[in-house]
Amino acid sequence: MKKLLLHIVVAACLFFVVDRLLGLCLNYLYSRSNATDEYKISYTNSSTTDPVLFFGSSRTLHHYVPSIFEQQLGVGCYNAADWGIKNIYYHYGLLGNILTRYTPRTIIFELHPCDWLLTPYSGVERAASLAPYCGMSPACDEMLRRAGKYWPCRLSLVYRFSGSLPNLLAGRWGTMDRRLKGWKPMEGELDTCGVVAEEYPFPVDEERLALLSRFITTCKQRNVKLVFVVSPMYVCSKEDVFQVPRELLLRRNIPFLDHYRDTTFVGHAEYFYDFGHLNRKGAELFSTILSREIAHI
């Protein structure tokens, strides 16, 4: 019995040592990766100190050009958005991590229906991208608990990076141009054949809506100015897709700049890469228009 206990203790110690050593190596690779997910998450959580941050999913990643906003607003800006249907679970955890380091002056938040609707493939599992930062903030840890990732991440450093292994091996061969401060332009023009409006026939998720309200409350407590935005689509739903968050933001006295049906862009294929994402030309024009609006808020 004593031998068995001794073997268990030795095995546990070996696991701990090997896991920590490999975890430190993976963390080193993670912090230096140029793949979109790893670079964006690493830099946003650990390094950025810009007064203005852009939050959101892929539409933010591709639509908001920091250099244009910097010219108009006169302060540093960073696009903290990431692709992969990142939603309010991810955004709330990310906000908590950022606020442990510094307090940005303004957050410009691009709303997506997955932030308040029960859309498929966009649940709490999206917060798992924050696994490398387990323990950084209570907000991050809460989201990882909801996603069922907290205790595995606490137990194993290697586990925190398990979803990033292919990109960690690719390392510097990623496609992020760091000079663009988080913006990732899309090159090309929309093929309009067969394009139809994206519909959202999903019920409101009260948990996500409550978390969106907590995001607002946290920013107000830290005196972070919030501006919520919806950027243009090539074709739009006939429904009032953004009615629920619009009412929430009105009650909370938060600016909401709705460009969803902006006629400058809707139906103009030359500004789009696909039906939901602006190309470089469209992003630069949209950023010019929006930065002027925000300058007056």
Side-chain angles (χ1 to χ4, degrees), residues 41 80 82 86-94 126-127 129-130:
I41 296 171
D82 193 16
K86 296 296 191 296
N87 59 15
I88 188 59
Y89 295 107
Y90 173 83
H91 305 321
Y92 186 78
L94 177 63
R126 296 300 164 184
S129 296
L130 295 170

Side-chain angles (χ1 to χ4, degrees), residues 23-45:
L24 290 173
C25 292
L26 291 174
N27 184 59
Y28 176 84
L29 293 174
Y30 187 93
S31 65
R32 285 156 178 76
S33 175
N34 210 42
T36 302
D37 281 338
E38 287 69 27
Y39 168 67
K40 292 299 298 290
I41 296 171
S42 174
Y43 189 83
T44 304
N45 279 277

Side-chain angles (χ1 to χ4, degrees), residues 223-279:
N223 294 317
V224 178
K225 180 178 285 294
L226 273 175
V227 180
F228 282 83
V229 182
V230 179
S231 53
M233 297 278 282
Y234 176 70
V235 287
C236 303
S237 169
K238 294 179 181 179
E239 303 296 326
D240 187 358
V241 179
F242 298 93
Q243 178 183 353
V244 171
R246 183 185 296 110
E247 292 173 352
L248 170 65
L249 297 175
L250 182 62
R251 292 195 302 270
R252 302 297 300 272
N253 195 30
I254 303 294
F256 179 40
L257 304 179
D258 185 357
H259 285 268
Y260 180 64
R261 304 179 192 277
D262 191 329
T263 55
T264 301
F265 298 91
V266 174
H268 291 270
E270 68 271 20
Y271 293 133
F272 287 85
Y273 174 80
D274 58 30
F275 75 94
H277 295 95
L278 298 169
N279 58 22

Side-chain angles (χ1 to χ4, degrees), residues 5-286:
L5 290 175
L6 180 61
H7 289 161
I8 291 174
V9 170
V10 171
C13 291
L14 284 174
F15 168 82
F16 180 85
V17 171
V18 172
D19 176 77
R20 264 48 187 177
L21 289 175
L22 286 176
L24 290 173
C25 292
L26 291 174
N27 184 59
Y28 176 84
L29 293 174
Y30 187 93
S31 65
R32 285 156 178 76
S33 175
N34 210 42
T36 302
D37 281 338
E38 287 69 27
Y39 168 67
K40 292 299 298 290
I41 296 171
S42 174
Y43 189 83
T44 304
N45 279 277
S46 303
S47 301
T48 182
T49 56
D50 286 287
V52 177
L53 298 178
F54 301 97
F55 269 57
S57 191
S58 60
R59 279 164 51 78
T60 311
L61 174 67
H62 301 307
H63 294 185
Y64 294 74
V65 187
S67 61
I68 292 176
F69 284 88
E70 288 178 340
Q71 291 170 10
Q72 185 66 41
L73 303 179
V75 294
C77 302
Y78 187 78
N79 189 325
D82 193 16
W83 54 21
I85 322 181
K86 296 296 191 296
N87 59 15
I88 188 59
Y89 295 107
Y90 173 83
H91 305 321
Y92 186 78
L94 177 63
L95 175 67
N97 287 350
I98 290 171
L99 291 178
T100 64
R101 296 191 300 105
Y102 83 110
T103 302
R105 183 189 303 178
T106 303
I107 289 177
I108 300 169
F109 192 131
E110 162 92 24
L111 282 169
H112 188 281
C114 68
D115 291 320
W116 72 93
L117 295 181
L118 200 60
T119 51
Y121 314 112
S122 62
V124 69
E125 73 277 359
R126 296 300 164 184
S129 296
L130 295 170
Y133 296 93
C134 179
M136 187 170 180
S137 73
C140 177
D141 289 351
E142 179 188 349
M143 297 303 101
L144 291 175
R145 283 192 182 93
R146 294 192 190 192
K149 301 292 184 181
Y150 177 76
W151 286 112
C153 288
R154 295 299 287 182
L155 177 65
S156 170
L157 288 185
V158 171
Y159 181 84
R160 300 183 184 194
F161 303 97
S162 58
S164 301
L165 289 176
N167 287 338
L168 297 187
L169 295 175
R172 287 284 184 176
W173 294 315
T175 56
M176 285 303 300
D177 184 344
R178 302 188 180 204
R179 297 168 299 178
L180 299 180
K181 302 193 70 175
W183 174 48
K184 190 160 189 172
M186 304 287 275
E187 308 292 355
E189 189 172 309
L190 170 67
D191 179 358
T192 61
C193 181
V195 174
V196 295
E198 189 170 18
E199 302 293 346
Y200 297 94
F202 309 108
V204 173
D205 185 339
E206 295 298 335
E207 181 177 82
R208 299 188 205 195
L209 193 60
L211 205 55
L212 186 60
S213 184
R214 285 176 61 187
F215 188 103
I216 294 170
T217 298
T218 300
C219 287
K220 285 194 171 188
Q221 290 171 343
R222 294 290 293 267
N223 294 317
V224 178
K225 180 178 285 294
L226 273 175
V227 180
F228 282 83
V229 182
V230 179
S231 53
M233 297 278 282
Y234 176 70
V235 287
C236 303
S237 169
K238 294 179 181 179
E239 303 296 326
D240 187 358
V241 179
F242 298 93
Q243 178 183 353
V244 171
R246 183 185 296 110
E247 292 173 352
L248 170 65
L249 297 175
L250 182 62
R251 292 195 302 270
R252 302 297 300 272
N253 195 30
I254 303 294
F256 179 40
L257 304 179
D258 185 357
H259 285 268
Y260 180 64
R261 304 179 192 277
D262 191 329
T263 55
T264 301
F265 298 91
V266 174
H268 291 270
E270 68 271 20
Y271 293 133
F272 287 85
Y273 174 80
D274 58 30
F275 75 94
H277 295 95
L278 298 169
N279 58 22
R280 180 188 288 268
K281 179 180 178 181
E284 290 174 343
L285 177 58
F286 174 66

